[in-house]
Amino acid sequence: MPAASNLDRLRVVLVASRNPLNMGAAARAMSNFGFRRLRVVNPYDAGFREARSAVGASELLAKAEEFETVAEAVADCTLVVGTTAVRHRELQHPLRRLEDGARLIRKRLGSSHVALLFGSEKFGLSNEDLSHCHWLMRIPTREENISMNLGQAVAVCLYELIRDPKAERQPDKLKLATAAEIERFTESLLETLHASGFLDRRRVADADARIRRLVRRLPLPERDVKVWLGILRQILWKVGSEEKHDGEPKR
């Protein structure tokens, strides 16, 4: 995740939003991902600050800055990015994929403020709104249902901003079992297969060699071999116990 100071440089700008619940959901998404600067331009409902959907983000929503124009809302930003579903509009801006746009925004947030604009639920950003943008981003959606809910769109974009692939933690590499440990497991497995009668029903001359090769195609970690040996010992004990019980004379 980018540094908190970088996240604080992003201004999420909701332009002419109509539904207070969507605005509350957008604020909640911001809080989820560590963004705190919400700006609104001519919101349709003046009561949006009390939206119940802003779970855990009521303070963020209450502190949202309100502006009359997009120009005022983005005045302190060196980069202004709009979001659009495109559809049939003819765009006059570069349109970037979400992951490419997020990478460029993260880079700019390291040194200056960035505005990310979302339009109204019904009409999106107008051509006038878009004229303030340097370039645009879109979330890839299916053509049959291209438009997303405002709160969901904000969440997806902000998640992509904090999802830096270079920072993703790689799982710890497990220590692989040695050849001796693999052979010990193989012998135990063969003993179990013979005791259970599995190999008796599949009589081939090189059955043991086939099983040995099968085991070696498995990249078994050392710790897993120990677990498998315990499992096989329990199976052998159970099979031996049942054979002993079956051989007892009935009274």
Side-chain angles (χ1 to χ4, degrees), residues 55-247:
V55 179
S58 56
E59 183 178 357
L60 187 156
L61 192 60
K63 292 182 178 180
E65 300 175 85
E66 195 167 344
F67 298 86
E68 292 185 2
T69 67
V70 171
E72 294 172 326
V74 304
D76 61 340
C77 299
T78 65
L79 175 63
V80 180
V81 179
T83 56
T84 178
V86 183
R87 205 177 280 279
H88 304 299
R89 6 182 7 167
E90 182 179 348
L91 301 177
Q92 305 298 322
H93 295 73
L95 179 64
R96 291 187 166 88
R97 291 171 56 89
L98 190 59
E99 60 270 29
D100 296 331
R103 175 176 52 80
L104 294 174
I105 291 174
R106 279 197 300 270
K107 184 176 180 180
R108 185 64 66 91
L109 286 174
S111 59
S112 59
H113 298 161
V114 176
L116 183 57
L117 273 58
F118 296 86
S120 73
E121 298 89 331
K122 189 171 183 179
F123 302 109
L125 293 170
S126 68
N127 289 335
E128 172 65 23
D129 300 331
L130 293 177
S131 70
H132 295 277
C133 300
H134 292 91
W135 44 266
L136 309 177
M137 286 196 310
R138 71 177 292 264
I139 300 172
T141 52
R142 56 194 290 265
E143 187 62 30
E144 293 80 3
N145 191 13
I146 198 170
S147 179
M148 290 185 70
N149 170 271
L150 175 62
Q152 293 174 332
V154 171
V156 171
C157 290
L158 297 186
Y159 169 72
E160 190 63 36
L161 280 176
I162 67 161
R163 189 194 67 83
D164 185 354
K166 295 180 180 179
E168 290 179 356
R169 183 177 180 274
Q170 298 298 320
D172 296 333
K173 291 185 177 180
L174 297 177
K175 183 180 179 182
L176 294 178
T178 63
E181 291 166 333
I182 292 294
E183 180 58 20
R184 198 154 54 243
F185 167 66
T186 304
E187 290 176 353
S188 182
L189 177 61
L190 286 169
E191 185 181 359
T192 304
L193 295 175
H194 283 292
S196 66
F198 179 84
L199 293 180
D200 293 339
R201 297 193 298 175
R202 293 164 178 78
R203 293 185 180 277
V204 290
D206 62 343
D208 287 11
R210 291 189 182 191
I211 296 297
R212 184 168 280 105
R213 289 195 297 270
L214 183 151
V215 171
R216 277 151 183 78
R217 288 197 292 269
L218 305 174
L220 288 171
E222 179 185 46
R223 68 182 188 185
D224 288 1
V225 168
K226 294 177 181 178
V227 175
W228 278 113
L229 285 173
I231 292 172
L232 294 173
R233 280 195 293 268
Q234 180 65 23
I235 294 174
L236 280 170
W237 175 83
K238 185 69 173 177
V239 171
S241 175
E242 290 181 351
E243 288 181 348
K244 182 179 179 181
H245 178 73
D246 290 342

